[in-house]
Amino acid sequence: MDRNRLHNQVASMRRSLFDQGYLDDQFIQLEELQDDTNPNFVQEVVTLFYNDSARLIQNIEQALNSGPIDFCKLDDYMHQFKGSSSSIGAKKVTNECTAFREYCNAENAEGCIRSFQQVKQEYAILKRKLEVYLQTVRQASQTA
Amino acid sequence: MHGNIWVVQNPQGSAQSMALVIRFQLRPSVSITINELGESSDQPCSNSLFKGLQVLLADDDDLNRAVTRKLLEKLGCSVSAVTSGFECLTSIGPASSPFQIVILELQMPELDGFEVAMRIRKFRSRNWPLIVAMTASADDDTWERCSQIGINGVIRKPVLLQGIAIELRKVLMQANKV
């Protein structure tokens, strides 16, 4: 019974992540790439994303806080960040990145700063949700 | 074979005629259909085309590189991955290289994909190795620029399995026609 409950929980959490727009098709592709030779692919990629992007977020933070803003550099960082977030299917995060880049192109410092708060917020929310989800997936597979 | 054989003898006792009956079972004819590679994309993972294909993947982003590599391997390709334009050039070398296709992220720091492609084409022929660019910004200007440099195809990021398969197949077929 425990096993069924866990599996149902996993399915319901997963469905909700998609329904609420946190994840898109790219995430499904990651799931499809997971197989016997790479049984933890999804977790590995998600971990990679959060490790890599932590650095980028720091860079963006610094760029926003230092004297006259270098919008070119900002756009570069955000381009990378958006590239990664879209690769794992982080839909809301990616959308906020797009909004940020528009402010960047317009050289709107205020807009960039506000937009970046949104990016960080969505990023943190997704991180929490994915942690819980993947932990539940792990538990479910262990009781299989 | 469940058949029969008999001999009709003439008055002298030697064989005049012989008859042989053999029963064969009718079977449906087995025809080998050679798959036209240019047909519909409902079979994106046609293993025969990609199996063992030697691919060099260059992308400085760890995450994208991991995902793209896995996608290529799923198609059956044999993948070597590098993290920079310089490494890419070193791996190809001036003489012969084992790679049939180089898949190259256009926006890399220090030495970008455009530069790498130009240098490859400078020393090597138009189609060996084949070069396929990857980029998040696949607009007409990008494609035009790629075409002028001698890049054979462009894959839009974020990368999807179907997207890679279709573009690689197109590039390989065009190369075969030359």
Side-chain angles (χ1 to χ4, degrees):
Chain A
M1 273 308 109
D2 228 1
R3 181 181 122 194
N4 279 339
R5 190 168 55 80
L6 271 175
H7 280 275
N8 285 340
Q9 211 173 338
V10 167
S12 140
M13 288 174 87
R14 185 181 173 278
R15 205 169 28 243
S16 139
L17 283 168
F18 283 99
D19 286 347
Q20 291 174 17
Y22 287 103
L23 295 175
D24 64 28
D25 285 351
Q26 286 293 132
F27 190 81
I28 296 178
Q29 181 167 248
L30 293 183
E31 291 175 317
E32 287 176 353
L33 285 174
Q34 188 159 292
D35 56 24
D36 292 335
T37 58
N38 274 84
N40 298 313
F41 188 66
V42 177
Q43 176 70 75
E44 284 166 11
V45 172
V46 169
T47 305
L48 200 52
F49 171 66
Y50 279 106
N51 288 342
D52 273 9
S53 53
R55 186 182 34 93
L56 279 170
I57 286 185
Q58 251 186 347
N59 290 342
I60 295 172
E61 201 93 69
Q62 258 176 344
L64 281 173
N65 291 329
S66 62
I69 295 181
D70 183 346
F71 288 104
C72 252
K73 207 186 232 178
L74 259 187
D75 190 65
D76 249 350
Y77 288 140
M78 194 42 93
H79 174 90
Q80 287 181 59
F81 186 79
K82 184 182 168 186
S84 298
S85 69
S86 63
S87 288
I88 70 160
K91 194 171 176 183
K92 289 196 186 199
V93 175
T94 304
N95 287 342
E96 295 302 338
C97 289
T98 306
F100 179 94
R101 291 188 80 195
E102 279 168 20
Y103 285 117
C104 217
N105 285 338
E107 302 205 351
N108 180 343
E110 277 273 329
C112 282
I113 293 170
R114 270 184 291 118
S115 185
F116 190 54
Q117 294 311 312
Q118 289 295 106
V119 170
K120 282 193 293 185
Q121 199 174 4
E122 288 301 338
Y123 175 83
I125 292 172
L126 181 64
K127 186 170 187 191
R128 259 198 324 274
K129 286 184 181 284
L130 280 177
E131 266 165 12
V132 177
Y133 170 66
L134 290 174
Q135 191 179 46
T136 316
V137 168
R138 261 197 310 277
Q139 283 175 329
S141 72
Q142 274 157 11
T143 57
Chain B
M1 280 182 269
H2 312 290
N4 211 346
I5 183 165
W6 64 86
V7 179
V8 172
Q9 284 186 324
N10 66 13
Q12 277 81 38
S14 50
Q16 186 177 342
S17 65
M18 286 173 81
L20 175 64
V21 174
I22 301 174
R23 278 210 190 107
F24 285 107
Q25 197 172 37
L26 268 179
R27 290 223 130 99
S29 72
V30 180
S31 58
I32 299 168
T33 4
I34 295 168
N35 221 329
E36 254 296 309
L37 291 174
E39 64 186 9
S40 72
S41 54
D42 57 10
Q43 270 288 320
C45 305
S46 71
N47 287 328
S48 53
L49 185 60
F50 302 124
K51 195 144 179 75
L53 194 64
Q54 299 292 322
V55 176
L56 179 63
L57 170 65
D59 193 334
D60 64 304
D61 185 279
D62 297 335
L63 192 144
N64 287 333
R65 200 172 57 246
V67 175
T68 308
R69 174 198 261 274
K70 198 83 180 85
L71 289 171
L72 288 165
E73 286 173 348
K74 187 169 184 182
L75 288 174
C77 301
S78 179
V79 184
S80 297
V82 293
T83 64
S84 75
F86 288 112
E87 265 192 84
C88 183
L89 290 176
T90 315
S91 302
I92 294 176
S96 70
S97 103
F99 302 110
Q100 294 154 284
I101 296 192
V102 177
I103 298 185
L104 195 49
E105 160 60 53
L106 285 180
Q107 250 148 314
M108 287 190 287
E110 291 168 359
L111 195 66
D112 69 21
F114 292 112
E115 257 305 309
V116 173
M118 277 196 280
R119 292 188 197 191
I120 294 175
R121 285 291 170 250
K122 200 171 176 189
F123 293 111
R124 308 295 298 278
S125 75
R126 179 120 193 128
N127 278 326
W128 191 272
L130 292 167
I131 303 176
V132 177
M134 281 191 301
T135 177
S137 48
D139 50 33
D140 287 338
D141 288 340
T142 309
W143 181 211
E144 185 57 43
R145 199 176 160 195
C146 284
S147 185
Q148 282 171 354
I149 291 173
I151 290 175
N152 307 93
V154 181
I155 294 170
R156 186 87 194 269
K157 274 182 161 179
V159 181
L160 279 171
L161 186 70
Q162 185 110 352
I164 297 187
I166 291 174
E167 191 66 7
L168 284 187
R169 178 190 282 154
K170 188 185 93 181
V171 163
L172 286 166
M173 280 177 62
Q174 278 173 349
N176 284 334
K177 283 182 189 151
V178 172

